[in-house]
Amino acid sequence: DGRRSSEATGHFFDSLDRDGDGSLGSEEVALFLRDQIGGSQFDSQSAVDDEVVTVIEKLDQNHNNGLEMSDVLDYWMQLESLLTAEEVRDWIVYAVQLPKSVGQIFLENGITGYDFLEIIENGGNVLRDELGVEKSSFINKIVKHIQARMLGIGSIPESPKNFSYKLESCKTVSFSWSKCKARVFPVHSYRIQRRAINLFEHAPTSTRSHPGTDLDMSLSMHVEPLPSDWKTVYVGGENEFVDSLLETGHNYLYRIQAWNSVGRSSWEMIDLSRQLKKQRCSMKPSHKALLDSHAQSQRNQHDGYDHWELLAIPKRLAWGIVLVVQFFFTFVRGFFAVIAMGTAIMRYRRASATTTASA
């Protein structure tokens, strides 16, 4: 809430205000950059001086060439890209570059940007004591990045430029883009997401059905194509990527963003639908292909189904052989029983005839 935020801001501000005069001057900001942030980006005094000027210009609300606690709090409250737990989870994973398990901890505990100042109090003890982040290196890294974010050090990356693609086949597409730039902290990764749109999801119409199959309902229906959720397909530092998991009968949207230690750029998007249609990759699959796809999806519903299906073939064959043998054995027994009965009747008739003749 607002009270806790003000208190936390006060603790953070006091840790930077070396002379205790209630205002951060240029030298105090410079000391923070050199001692707390450090890194190759602040090796030279000119780099430090340039960033000090930028930070003060960005945060100084009353333009008195110094930063008061209200300036820091006002800036912190405007961090719109970190207002939700999902955004903070992504920031931990892609900006701070920590494992997804650490980002999940922030998500499960509902941590948003409003909680950042409480998190870095006392060197980030809450990360270990309450959130269960064990590694000291992870804690130090999180605290350092939050501190830099609170003071507006550096900038988010520019959006990726010249984002283009080449459709190699109906299953493969390659992408390339220009490397992005950012102030102070360089871009360390790009994130690409894909969204598939199935062109042949179906809802009720007058189209014909196919009796005798499990597709009776689905093949007699037609609706607007339904998009899937966005799925991350690439995270890395290279400025090219190849996706070989496209499926016929779908349109695809892709979007890309750049990340550095401050945060993310805006998304740049590409729609493959026109090119997919041009190369006949978005054509409706044949009925046989739909049946095959349906059968394959049913097989995939159970682990090991294919294995047991293969075992079932010789099992059915064995049962067939057993039935044939049993039938043949029963037939032979019946045949000999008939012969034996006929022989008995003939003997009986002969005996009767002999008896009559003797009389």
Side-chain angles (χ1 to χ4, degrees):
D1 55 32
R3 183 184 60 81
R4 288 184 63 216
S5 299
S6 297
E7 292 178 357
T9 305
H11 292 303
F12 176 57
F13 188 87
D14 290 343
S15 69
L16 304 178
D17 187 13
R18 301 294 181 93
D19 57 15
D21 64 352
S23 177
L24 301 181
S26 299
E27 184 57 32
E28 288 167 320
V29 176
L31 285 173
F32 175 78
L33 292 176
R34 286 194 298 265
D35 298 344
Q36 299 299 321
I37 304 302
S40 58
Q41 58 269 22
F42 295 125
D43 282 346
S44 66
Q45 186 61 43
S46 61
V48 172
D49 293 340
D50 289 343
E51 189 60 21
V52 167
V53 172
T54 302
V55 167
I56 292 180
E57 287 180 350
K58 183 188 297 185
L59 274 66
D60 186 13
Q61 300 291 319
N62 53 17
H63 307 290
N64 62 352
N65 295 321
L67 300 180
E68 299 172 352
M69 189 175 74
S70 59
D71 295 328
V72 177
L73 180 58
D74 288 343
Y75 175 77
W76 170 58
M77 296 295 288
Q78 297 173 14
L79 296 181
E80 296 180 356
S81 64
L82 294 172
L83 295 183
T84 70
E86 289 78 11
E87 290 167 342
V88 170
R89 186 256 329 263
D90 288 348
W91 185 77
I92 290 292
V93 174
Y94 299 113
V96 188
Q97 301 184 81
L98 293 180
K100 290 183 179 180
S101 58
V102 180
Q104 193 63 24
I105 290 175
F106 278 71
L107 178 62
E108 291 173 354
N109 286 274
I111 305 299
T112 71
Y114 292 120
D115 303 307
F116 275 11
L117 288 172
E118 284 85 355
I119 287 176
I120 63 176
E121 282 192 86
N122 301 315
N125 285 343
V126 68
L127 291 168
R128 179 182 290 106
D129 299 340
E130 297 185 22
L131 299 183
V133 179
E134 298 292 340
K135 289 190 176 182
S136 297
S137 59
F138 288 178
I139 293 174
N140 293 336
K141 198 171 185 181
I142 293 171
V143 170
K144 176 180 175 180
H145 278 73
I146 291 178
Q147 289 176 334
R149 191 67 192 264
M150 291 302 97
L151 281 184
I153 298 171
S155 69
I156 61 173
E158 60 184 9
S159 300
K161 299 294 191 298
N162 303 316
F163 185 34
S164 60
Y165 72 94
K166 179 181 180 182
L167 191 62
E168 310 287 351
S169 69
C170 290
K171 293 185 177 295
T172 302
V173 59
S174 59
F175 297 92
S176 63
W177 57 93
S178 300
K179 288 187 174 294
C180 299
K181 297 179 180 180
R183 199 184 79 253
V184 179
F185 299 105
V187 172
H188 53 238
S189 66
Y190 302 92
R191 182 188 186 193
I192 295 180
Q193 291 187 329
R194 178 185 66 211
R195 192 175 199 179
I197 303 174
N198 191 330
L199 299 177
F200 303 104
E201 290 290 334
H202 300 281
T205 65
S206 59
T207 57
R208 65 187 181 90
S209 63
H210 295 260
T213 74
D214 291 335
L215 295 177
D216 289 353
M217 181 66 69
S218 63
L219 291 180
S220 63
M221 305 172 73
H222 182 72
V223 291
E224 289 297 319
L226 296 177
S228 66
D229 293 332
W230 287 103
K231 178 181 179 181
T232 297
V233 293
Y234 174 74
V235 177
E238 300 298 325
N239 60 327
E240 57 185 22
F241 165 67
V242 177
D243 188 359
S244 300
L245 297 177
L246 276 62
E247 297 180 7
T248 304
H250 290 71
N251 278 342
Y252 290 95
L253 300 174
Y254 287 83
R255 62 183 184 181
I256 184 174
Q257 62 183 186
W259 283 86
N260 70 350
S261 293
V262 177
R264 56 174 172 77
S265 71
S266 58
W267 291 103
E268 289 292 323
M269 189 174 297
I270 277 182
D271 185 349
L272 271 59
S273 57
R274 181 176 297 181
Q275 195 66 23
L276 287 168
K277 183 177 181 180
K278 183 178 180 180
Q279 295 196 20
R280 301 171 65 85
C281 300
S282 54
M283 295 179 61
K284 184 175 182 179
S286 65
H287 173 54
K288 181 179 182 300
L290 286 173
L291 290 174
D292 292 343
S293 176
H294 177 71
Q296 182 64 38
S297 64
Q298 285 195 327
R299 284 197 295 270
N300 292 338
Q301 288 178 359
H302 306 285
D303 292 335
Y305 180 88
D306 292 338
H307 172 70
W308 292 110
E309 184 67 17
L310 290 173
L311 291 180
I313 295 174
K315 185 176 180 180
R316 288 198 297 265
L317 180 61
W319 275 111
I321 294 174
V322 169
L323 291 175
V324 171
V325 171
Q326 287 180 340
F327 173 78
F328 179 75
F329 180 71
T330 303
F331 174 78
V332 170
R333 287 183 61 185
F335 176 75
F336 282 109
V338 170
I339 293 177
M341 184 178 294
T343 302
I345 293 173
M346 291 179 64
R347 286 179 180 177
Y348 174 75
R349 287 180 177 178
R350 288 176 183 174
S352 299
T354 302
T355 303
T356 302
S358 298

